[in-house]
Amino acid sequence: MPNPRTPRTYRVKSFGCQMNVYDGERMAELLADKGMAPAAEGEDADLVVLNTCHIREKAAEKVYSDIGRLKKADGSKPLIAVAGCVAQAEGEEIMARAPAVSMVVGPQAYHRLPDLLDKAARGERATDTDMPANAKFDVLPQRRRTGPSAFLTVQEGCDKFCTYCVVPYTRGAEISRPYKDLIEEAHKLIDSGAREITLLGQNVNAWSGENAKGDAIGLDGLIRELAKIPDLRRIRYTTSHPMDVTEGLVSVHFEVDKLMPFLHLPVQSGSDRVLKAMNRSHTAESYLRLLERFRAARPDIALSGDFIVGFPGETDAEFEETLKLIDEVRYAQAFSFKYSARPGTPAADMDGHIAPEVMDERLQRLQAAINRDQLAFNQASAGKTCTVLVERKGKHPGQWLGKSPWLQSVHFTGNAAIGDLVAVELAEAGPNSLSARLLEPATA
Ligand code: 5AD
Ligand code: SF4
């Protein structure tokens, strides 16, 4: 009789950033490699992996309530693994507080999930939050079938120590994956259907490596090499840090057509005093000058950013400076967050924590400004001709969904297939998407 704790089906639930989504996919591949099957939609899974995010809000509380809620139809608990950044930061506490959890595995150790599963099958509970640089990528199974748009983690970790952020503690020091491994993984992704690759890293533009000739290269060099692969049609990268922007990265936007005209460059605040307290090592002015350089290289570049409102000590006037910066940049999209004190970070011990109502009000005003600019950007795109990478079917018969070069969601009707890169004319613009007319011939 098989061991009742030997799981046959799994479900990976990922929260948080794209890096976590990527990690979740890789964990799913590991489990599939071990002979397990993904649980069907609506069905119980024998193993549930909660791939957690620690960057904001009451992340740990949410994990405990998720654990409490997890039940199979017969009332029994599935095997539960907690992965991701909450696992890294609070692994021991999770084990102590949540007896239903069998496994805790950090973001740098999830390649050892199969070992932990073997232990769990023997009824042992196990934690692995080691941080061996690069080790996991060497032992993860090969990439499996993928959609037309795929992620590729090229860099992990962060040495910037922004005073509000847990990432340097949960993801560890900056490491770059070796060039050769990345080119290999890119080929695997493309062979299995990817037409667009988004290079991922906490500070992706800090990536460095050696090309096949042994020359030292940066992210721009990697992009230039990837662009030579004929079946790869589009390249993106995220997230960048202003301090690691090189002249090469700016000019690769001018030189490489396959690199999409889109830049996610978080600024966090428009106030130099707040930026200093955040340890961001740039000013509002130096950030704006950087954007000017990107715009000179690629005039149609769409800009995106991250903002935090209510950092400790942020005054009304300092918040106004952030709104002023937004007015100046006119982002195509942006992410904004209320400051959340993260235990163990320097900002958590700073004076001047901002009242929740003030944060709410600032967030609303900031998001209104961003939404205004996003709609204006979409409206200014109407009438433009561009390509769309078809990612999936829409709700209506014959309708397709995909992304424009500027990362806008686009829907159109006509003769196409998933993975096609089609030429369209953008038509009506909404705040979050645009409709388009398919141009013939269908393949661009
Ligand atoms: N509180 C609020 N937002 C945060 N971010 C990171 N740490 C915090 C925090 N403690 C935001 C930043 C970052 C994005 C990924 O999350 O804007 O760029
Ligand atoms: Fe966090 Fe700052 Fe590093 Fe981004 S650059 S991951 S915000 S410490």
Side-chain angles (χ1 to χ4, degrees), residues 7 83 122 217 309 315:
R122 295 196 298 268
I217 57 168
V309 301
T315 64

Side-chain angles (χ1 to χ4, degrees), residues 113-425:
L113 197 53
D115 296 344
L116 300 190
L117 266 173
D118 290 341
K119 284 191 185 157
R122 295 196 298 268
E124 293 168 35
R125 303 171 78 213
T127 301
D128 193 337
T129 49
D130 281 358
M131 287 200 179
N134 256 337
K136 73 177 174 213
F137 292 110
D138 294 337
V139 296
L140 287 171
Q142 305 229 320
R143 301 306 309 265
R144 278 157 202 273
R145 205 165 60 80
T146 169
S149 180
F151 291 135
L152 172 55
T153 290
V154 305
Q155 180 276 341
E156 271 197 287
C158 181
D159 298 339
K160 299 291 182 291
F161 290 93
C162 299
T163 52
Y164 51 81
C165 186
V166 284
V167 166
Y169 311 98
T170 55
R171 291 266 171 179
E174 283 177 6
I175 60 129
S176 295
R177 290 182 64 194
Y179 171 82
K180 188 175 132 285
D181 296 3
L182 297 175
I183 298 289
E184 264 174 37
E185 194 171 324
H187 276 287
K188 300 247 165 64
L189 289 169
I190 296 159
D191 290 348
S192 55
R195 292 293 161 263
E196 171 178 278
I197 291 184
T198 302
L199 307 174
L200 286 183
Q202 250 93 35
N203 287 312
V204 70
N205 53 330
W207 183 86
S208 64
E210 275 182 11
N211 67 10
K213 284 189 257 155
D215 298 333
I217 57 168
L219 185 69
D220 57 309
L222 179 63
I223 291 169
R224 286 191 184 89
E225 289 301 325
L226 288 170
K228 291 181 192 158
I229 306 176
D231 287 338
L232 178 61
R233 309 291 296 275
R234 287 176 158 193
I235 303 170
R236 302 181 184 276
Y237 61 92
T238 198
T239 291
S240 304
H241 191 287
M243 285 312 288
D244 290 320
V245 170
T246 60
E247 198 45 52
L249 187 66
V250 175
S251 54
V252 75
H253 277 276
F254 171 73
E255 288 160 27
V256 173
D257 282 345
K258 288 183 182 180
L259 180 61
M260 292 296 99
F262 188 91
L263 174 68
H264 180 66
L265 194 67
V267 61
Q268 316 296 357
S269 167
S271 150
D272 288 346
R273 194 208 58 85
V274 173
L275 287 169
K276 194 147 193 264
M278 288 177 163
N279 191 31
R280 287 289 297 178
S281 46
H282 59 81
T283 61
E285 188 54 35
S286 68
Y287 174 83
L288 291 170
R289 277 204 306 272
L290 256 183
L291 295 188
E292 269 169 31
R293 283 164 58 201
F294 278 103
R295 279 185 162 144
R298 184 77 207 226
D300 69 334
I301 199 160
L303 299 170
S304 164
D306 288 348
F307 293 90
I308 296 177
V309 301
F311 184 79
E314 184 187 66
T315 64
D316 283 338
E318 286 165 347
F319 172 66
E320 295 294 332
E321 291 184 79
T322 303
L323 291 180
K324 190 165 147 265
L325 180 135
I326 290 172
D327 284 352
E328 238 165 282
V329 174
R330 308 241 164 235
Y331 288 94
Q333 60 157 73
F335 302 94
S336 45
F337 313 102
K338 287 187 267 187
Y339 169 74
S340 158
R342 307 283 71 214
T345 58
D349 296 327
M350 288 180 186
D351 294 332
H353 281 261
I354 305 293
E357 321 78 77
V358 177
M359 286 217 228
D360 286 340
E361 202 245 349
R362 287 183 187 167
L363 188 70
Q364 262 181 24
R365 288 183 61 200
L366 191 143
Q367 286 181 341
I370 298 288
N371 291 344
R372 170 202 70 198
D373 291 348
Q374 183 169 324
L375 180 62
F377 182 85
N378 289 347
Q379 283 169 340
S381 310
K384 278 191 189 165
T385 302
C386 69
T387 60
V388 165
L389 178 63
V390 182
E391 291 179 19
R392 54 182 202 276
K393 284 188 173 166
K395 271 191 242 135
H396 307 294
Q399 192 190 43
W400 300 96
L401 304 181
K403 294 274 171 21
S404 77
W406 307 283
L407 207 64
Q408 296 149 302
S409 294
V410 176
H411 52 94
F412 66 91
T413 325
N415 194 8
I418 291 172
D420 280 355
L421 199 66
V422 296
V424 301
E425 185 184 312

